[in-house]
């Protein structure tokens, strides 16, 4: 489904290489986790995959279901089914959450040649999904993420994911800033979306999120590369021993 | 072409003889004439015209303004207003409704100006003159001296149905002067809607007296003919516990100078002036606002937002003057521009002048581009870049549009704005 091949990326403004040859394949129905110390390039990977400006891809390729997506605009990648749950969701004053959701959903449907969703169907759908994430109607009416707590922002990301039904979901440190209850709520939202046809790439510092979202494969990233891949036990190893042993092993 | 060979730089003529013999308004016109004689017409050297060159407003020769093919006359039809239509500054009885509405009287300056006596004698030119004390506003004085058309409205009750003055533009060289006077009695209320381009060049003055506990709601949409020019002045006088709200939408127009001078003379009065404009290319838009607080416990707000692109220019000169006895004044002023490219510019001169010690006044002015993080967030959800930019642009304008209380009228404005944005995608 998502195939990252020898990806090299540097910052546009300075001649600094952040990703130094990332190889990673996420198959449909699987949950892959990426763990790694600060500055290892995890967030850069998520931004590059979703098409944020400011990065130069100097080598390698990324395919989503066979399409090379690196030349595509963010909205085109979204329409192909790529979704990034932001580490720091952006506040957008003056744009209502519902308007935002509906515009996004219809834009994607249109890009795929589907009909727009009717106002009543949309309302029914959004209410149903919001309820499972404990998002009340007030939060839906407010401007996008404005005045939301950290937990509310993350739940709002998962709501967007649930509405847009992407094929590959990238979660960038979705657990950061969440207490245990909020993390469970978010994890339940993610687990509800686990499906044969959908892949996940879960980026996290800590093992605890992976207690709730059980990964199939765990990758350790350091200095712009995947240095080790393994099963869920790899996350436990990090939790117990930290990254230093793994880093030593790799060097 | 003959005309352009000579005199292209000649200013408008100002001759006193032409303002005399005009019945009840003779004195006001003669006084106004004396004011221009003293100040002269504005020039680019004047401090008050530092950011906006008045040359095409004061030239004898009017620049051509091509006509917009879209008829905008009915933009306010959703609120079923009483329609009063002027075509290139001339009242059109055929296109207008009957000038009858319960709770107010409407007369035309053209038909009453020869009378010896009229109640408007006390008002005509009075507040324009008051507005000249701080800064000279020669185009307004010129208007008072020479205006032949306009409406004289006396509001005696709370009038629910809005009045819509529609200014149609059919002559590519029309040069129009309009002068309206509105008196709103105590406890009375009026909603005035204005729409349309009016002329190739418009000089308009609106004088409004809002008496105790009275309310004036004003929404105007300046016509979007690309080449039209307009210099408008609003002069308002607010008595105790009165409310004055004015919102202006400007879409296109090569040159617009909207001045608003309000004198808050009564305690606990409230004045809100706001505007949203969107402009492209050689668009030049100037909001010049002056609010004087001369009473206790009054509130004023100035909220102006401008979206500029392809080299368009926006100007804001806004002042709040708080006189020594105007304690407990609450004054707020914000002017912001969204520059959609690097060629556009916003020139702002916010001013506070405060002589009372127990007041709360704040002002701010910003210029910014589209927030790249917000844009990425929207596009990462599948929204195309042009649509995402429009969403962020509408969000930027929202604070100004939200100054409109009436939801139907707000929707009219939002629709006009989003239509403009859509056409430019």
């Amino acid at each position: 489904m998502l195939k990252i091949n020898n990806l090299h990326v540097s910052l546009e403004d300075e001649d600094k290489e952040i990703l130094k040859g990332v190889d990673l394949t996420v198959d449909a129905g699987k949950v892959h986790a990426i763990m790694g110390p600060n500055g290892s390039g995890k967030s850069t990977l998520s931004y590059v995959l979703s098409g944020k400006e400011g990065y130069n891809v100097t080598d390698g390729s990324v395919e989503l279901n066979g399409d090379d997506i690196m030349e595509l605009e963010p909205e085109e990648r979204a329409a192909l089914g790529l979704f990034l749950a932001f580490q720091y969701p952006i506040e957008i004053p003056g744009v209502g959450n519902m308007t935002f959701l509906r515009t996004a959903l219809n834009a994607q449907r249109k890009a795929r040649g589907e009909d727009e969703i009717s106002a009543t169907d949309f309302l029914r759908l959004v209410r149903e999904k919001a309820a499972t994430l404990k998002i009340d109607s007030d939060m839906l009416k407010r401007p996008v993420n404005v005045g939301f707590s950290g937990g509310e922002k993350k739940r709002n990301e998962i709501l967007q994911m649930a509405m847009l039904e992407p094929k590959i979901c990238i979660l960038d440190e979705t657990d950061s800033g969440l207490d245990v209850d909020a993390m469970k709520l978010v994890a339940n939202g993610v687990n509800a979306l686990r499906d044969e046809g959908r892949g996940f790439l879960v980026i996290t510092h800590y093992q605890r999120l992976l207690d709730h979202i059980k990964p199939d494969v765990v990758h350790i990233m350091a200095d712009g590369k995947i240095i080790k891949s393994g099963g869920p036990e790899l996350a436990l190893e990090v939790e117990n021993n930290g990254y230093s042993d793994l880093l030593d092993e790799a060097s | 072409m003959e005309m352009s060979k000579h005199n292209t730089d000649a200013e408008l003529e100002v001759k006193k003889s032409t303002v005399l013999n005009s019945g009840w308004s003779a004195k006001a016109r003669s006084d106004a004439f004396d004011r221009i004689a003293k100040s002269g017409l504005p020039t680019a050297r004047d401090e008050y015209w530092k950011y906006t060159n008045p040359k095409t407003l004061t030239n004898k020769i009017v620049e051509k303004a091509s006509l917009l093919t879209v008829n905008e006359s009915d933009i306010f039809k959703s609120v079923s207003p009483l329609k009063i239509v002027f075509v290139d500054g001339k009242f059109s009885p055929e296109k207008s409704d009957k000038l009858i509405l319960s709770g107010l009287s409407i007369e035309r300056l053209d038909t009453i100006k020869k009378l010896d006596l009229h109640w408007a004698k006390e008002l005509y030119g009075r507040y324009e003159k008051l507005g000249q004390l701080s800064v000279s506003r020669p185009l307004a004085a010129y208007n008072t001296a020479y205006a032949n058309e306009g409406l004289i409205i006396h509001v005696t009750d709370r009038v629910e149905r809005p009045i819509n003055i529609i200014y149609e533009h059919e002559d590519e060289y029309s040069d129009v002067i309009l002068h309206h006077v509105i008196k709103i009695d105590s406890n009375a209320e009026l909603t005035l809607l204005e729409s349309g381009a009016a002329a190739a060049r418009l000089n308009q003055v609106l004088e409004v007296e809002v008496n105790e506990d009275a309310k004036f709601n004003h929404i105007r949409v300046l016509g979007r003919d690309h080449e039209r020019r307009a210099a408008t002045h609003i002069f308002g006088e607010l008595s105790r516990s009165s409310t004055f709200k004015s919102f202006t939408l400007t879409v296109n127009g090569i040159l617009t100078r909207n001045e608003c001078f309000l004198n808050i003379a009564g305690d606990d009065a409230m004045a809100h002036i706001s505007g949203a404009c969107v402009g492209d290319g050689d668009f030049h838009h100037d909001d010049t606002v002056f609010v004087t607080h001369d009473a206790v416990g009054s509130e004023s707000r100035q909220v102006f937002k401008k979206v500029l692109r392809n080299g368009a220019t926006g100007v804001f000169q806004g002042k709040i003057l708080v006189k020594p006895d105007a304690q407990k004044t609450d004054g707020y002023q914000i002017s912001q521009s969204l520059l959609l490219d690097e060629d556009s510019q916003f020139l702002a001169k916010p001013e506070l002048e405060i002589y009372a010690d127990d007041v709360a006044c704040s002002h701010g002015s910003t210029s910014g581009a589209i927030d790249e993080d917000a844009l990425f967030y929207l596009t990462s959800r599948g929204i195309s870049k042009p649509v995402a930019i429009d969403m962020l642009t509408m969000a930027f304008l929202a604070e100004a549009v939200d100054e409109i209380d009436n939801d139907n009228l707000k929707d009219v404005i939002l629709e006009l704005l989003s239509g403009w944005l859509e056409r430019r995608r």
Side-chain angles (χ1 to χ4, degrees):
Chain A
M1 168 161 284
L2 180 71
K3 206 180 249 177
I4 305 171
N5 186 21
N6 190 32
L7 187 64
H8 286 258
V9 170
S10 56
L11 291 178
E12 209 169 67
D13 295 341
E14 40 188 312
D15 194 22
K16 190 182 172 195
E17 193 168 47
I18 308 284
L19 300 182
K20 303 173 180 176
V22 175
D23 288 290
L24 181 68
T25 300
V26 180
D27 291 324
K30 300 291 183 199
V31 174
H32 287 234
I34 298 184
M35 301 182 73
N38 288 327
S40 57
K42 304 186 301 294
S43 285
T44 298
L45 178 63
S46 73
Y47 285 144
V48 170
L49 292 177
S50 51
K52 193 175 191 207
E53 286 181 14
Y55 302 98
N56 279 335
V57 176
T58 52
D59 201 3
S61 65
V62 179
E63 285 178 18
L64 179 59
N65 287 328
D67 294 314
D68 184 344
I69 61 169
M70 280 294 100
E71 294 298 314
L72 301 180
E73 297 295 328
E75 62 268 30
E76 294 170 316
R77 300 181 194 201
L80 286 177
L82 187 139
F83 182 92
L84 169 65
F86 282 55
Q87 183 181 359
Y88 304 108
I90 310 294
E91 297 188 7
I92 311 182
V95 175
N97 216 5
M98 290 284 257
T99 310
F100 165 57
L101 277 170
R102 196 168 157 204
T103 309
L105 184 57
N106 280 331
Q108 290 201 16
R109 292 172 77 115
K110 204 174 143 199
R112 292 193 292 258
E114 298 163 15
D115 286 340
E116 293 199 346
I117 188 168
S118 75
T120 43
D121 286 350
F122 171 78
L123 262 180
R124 192 178 333 116
L125 194 64
V126 78
R127 283 197 184 124
E128 177 197 310
K129 309 265 186 199
T132 62
L133 288 159
K134 298 198 175 154
I135 290 175
D136 59 24
S137 59
D138 180 54
M139 261 175 79
L140 290 173
K141 279 185 207 143
R142 279 181 1 219
V144 179
N145 294 323
V146 176
F148 286 25
S149 70
E152 287 174 333
K153 281 180 183 168
K154 296 297 171 79
R155 265 150 51 204
N156 202 29
E157 293 292 287
I158 307 304
L159 172 65
Q160 291 165 39
M161 198 162 90
M163 292 295 293
L164 298 171
E165 301 184 314
K167 296 202 171 71
I168 178 88
C169 308
I170 305 164
L171 279 69
D172 187 8
E173 299 199 18
T174 294
D175 50 338
S176 69
L178 295 187
D179 59 33
V180 180
D181 291 337
M183 190 161 65
K184 277 186 190 160
L185 203 57
V186 165
N188 289 343
V190 172
N191 289 330
L193 288 164
R194 288 181 78 154
D195 179 286
E196 286 300 303
R198 184 172 291 137
F200 287 84
L201 192 57
V202 179
I203 296 171
T204 180
H205 267 300
Y206 304 107
Q207 195 269 337
R208 57 172 197 169
L209 178 68
L210 305 178
D211 285 341
H212 303 286
I213 305 173
K214 297 255 189 288
D216 298 295
V217 186
V218 174
H219 308 276
I220 306 298
M221 192 167 181
D223 194 27
K225 280 185 191 165
I226 306 284
I227 57 164
K228 189 166 186 179
S229 300
E233 71 284 352
L234 196 51
L236 289 168
E237 196 183 323
V238 169
E239 182 75 1
N240 294 329
N241 306 332
Y243 290 111
S244 47
D245 289 357
L246 289 164
L247 294 176
D248 290 345
E249 201 177 300
S251 61
Chain B
M1 290 312 284
E2 266 310 295
M3 263 172 38
S4 62
K5 273 187 193 161
H6 48 91
N7 257 347
T8 48
D9 281 340
E11 284 193 338
L12 291 164
E13 281 181 60
V14 184
K15 279 188 196 154
K16 190 161 188 171
S17 56
T18 55
V19 305
L20 299 177
N21 304 320
S22 43
W24 56 269
S25 63
K27 172 99 174 50
R29 291 172 189 271
S30 167
D31 284 355
F33 172 83
D34 291 341
R35 287 195 285 281
I36 328 163
K38 204 171 141 202
S39 66
L41 289 165
T43 73
R45 288 184 301 280
D46 293 345
E47 181 65 23
Y48 217 46
W49 289 86
K50 193 173 167 183
Y51 304 122
T52 298
N53 191 332
K55 198 168 178 302
T56 52
L57 298 171
T58 59
N59 256 6
K60 195 167 180 183
I61 292 172
V62 181
E63 308 266 338
K64 177 184 170 182
S66 307
L67 306 177
L68 186 74
T69 46
V70 185
N71 188 328
E72 294 183 289
S73 294
D74 271 339
I75 56 171
F76 287 121
K77 69 171 179 226
S78 61
V79 294
S80 319
L82 182 87
K83 285 174 24 176
I84 306 174
V85 181
F86 289 86
V87 180
D88 292 301
K90 292 267 167 281
F91 173 74
S92 168
E94 301 81 21
K95 293 185 171 184
S96 302
D97 292 331
K98 277 196 176 139
L99 303 188
I100 296 168
L101 193 58
S102 168
L104 55 77
S105 72
I106 306 171
E107 291 169 286
R108 290 173 42 221
L109 186 56
D110 183 44
T111 55
I112 62 167
K113 70 172 190 241
K114 290 274 154 53
L115 301 174
D116 288 335
L117 276 177
H118 194 275
W119 64 263
K121 184 183 178 182
E122 297 303 316
L123 264 71
Y124 185 90
R126 177 175 168 183
Y127 297 115
E128 174 262 300
K129 183 180 176 183
L130 195 68
Q132 308 273 356
L133 293 176
S134 44
V135 187
S136 81
R137 304 170 200 276
L139 290 172
Y142 184 88
N143 181 302
T144 299
Y146 291 102
N148 288 318
E149 277 271 20
L151 298 176
I152 308 293
I153 301 175
H154 185 189
V155 187
T156 51
D157 205 346
R158 291 189 187 279
V159 181
E160 270 183 32
R161 187 177 177 198
I163 290 178
N164 185 189
I165 313 178
I166 296 166
Y167 306 104
E168 294 186 355
H169 174 208
E170 291 181 357
D171 172 355
E172 292 179 331
Y173 290 94
S174 56
D175 188 16
V176 166
I177 301 176
L178 287 169
H179 194 122
H180 304 307
V181 172
I182 301 177
K183 180 180 183 174
I184 307 177
D185 284 353
S186 292
N187 290 303
E189 181 174 344
L190 174 71
T191 296
L192 174 68
L193 311 173
E194 294 183 278
S195 52
R201 179 167 73 184
L202 171 68
N203 176 335
Q204 180 177 302
V205 165
L206 169 64
E207 294 184 276
V208 188
E209 182 183 281
V210 193
N211 285 289
E212 288 187 13
D213 296 300
K215 251 185 165 175
F216 178 60
N217 293 312
H218 180 222
I219 313 279
R220 80 179 151 167
V221 177
L222 299 175
R224 59 186 170 94
D225 299 31
H226 289 273
E227 292 157 327
R228 62 129 191 90
R229 291 158 204 278
T232 76
H233 290 81
I234 297 173
F235 296 96
E237 176 87 357
L238 281 75
S239 293
R240 191 177 56 75
S241 301
S242 64
T243 302
F244 182 108
K245 294 198 83 169
S246 176
F247 171 89
T248 301
L249 173 70
T250 310
V251 170
N252 302 344
I254 194 165
L255 177 63
T256 306
R257 163 89 161 198
N258 289 332
E259 290 194 31
C260 182
F261 176 89
L262 299 183
N263 186 42
I264 303 180
D267 295 349
D268 305 316
M270 185 180 90
H272 289 189
I273 318 137
S274 55
C277 83
V278 283
D280 204 329
D282 49 11
F283 173 89
H284 181 109
H285 187 273
D286 177 336
D287 282 301
T288 291
V289 179
F290 196 119
V291 176
T292 302
H293 287 265
D294 196 8
V296 176
S298 58
E299 180 202 317
S300 74
R301 281 171 70 83
Q302 302 173 26
V303 180
F304 290 89
K305 300 261 189 169
K306 297 177 199 275
V307 174
L308 306 165
R309 57 200 272 169
N310 293 325
T313 301
V315 176
F316 176 76
Q317 303 188 100
K319 181 160 181 169
I320 304 174
L321 169 64
V322 182
K323 294 218 172 164
D325 293 330
Q327 301 296 2
K328 308 281 182 201
T329 287
D330 181 359
Y332 174 74
Q333 180 195 88
I334 183 95
S335 64
Q336 294 182 308
S337 72
L338 178 63
L339 306 176
L340 293 178
D341 53 56
E342 286 175 5
D343 301 329
S344 303
Q345 58 171 347
F346 178 53
L347 306 160
K349 190 180 171 192
E351 282 181 280
L352 291 179
E353 196 176 326
I354 301 171
Y355 296 101
D357 51 20
D358 183 14
V359 302
C361 282
S362 63
H363 68 134
S365 182
T366 63
S367 264
I370 287 281
D371 180 343
E372 290 296 330
D373 287 335
L375 187 59
F376 174 58
Y377 192 70
L378 294 176
T379 54
S380 78
R381 298 305 182 238
I383 299 169
S384 74
K385 200 169 171 181
V387 173
I389 290 175
D390 284 1
M391 287 174 84
L392 295 172
T393 303
M394 288 298 281
F396 166 80
L397 292 166
E399 188 188 357
V401 180
D402 279 343
E403 292 289 313
I404 302 169
D405 292 332
N406 181 307
D407 284 340
N408 289 329
L409 292 171
K410 198 187 285 184
D411 287 345
V412 169
I413 300 297
L414 289 173
E415 207 169 298
L416 289 169
L417 277 169
S418 60
W420 187 89
L421 292 171
E422 224 166 276
R423 286 192 296 277
R424 271 160 187 75
R425 261 181 211 158

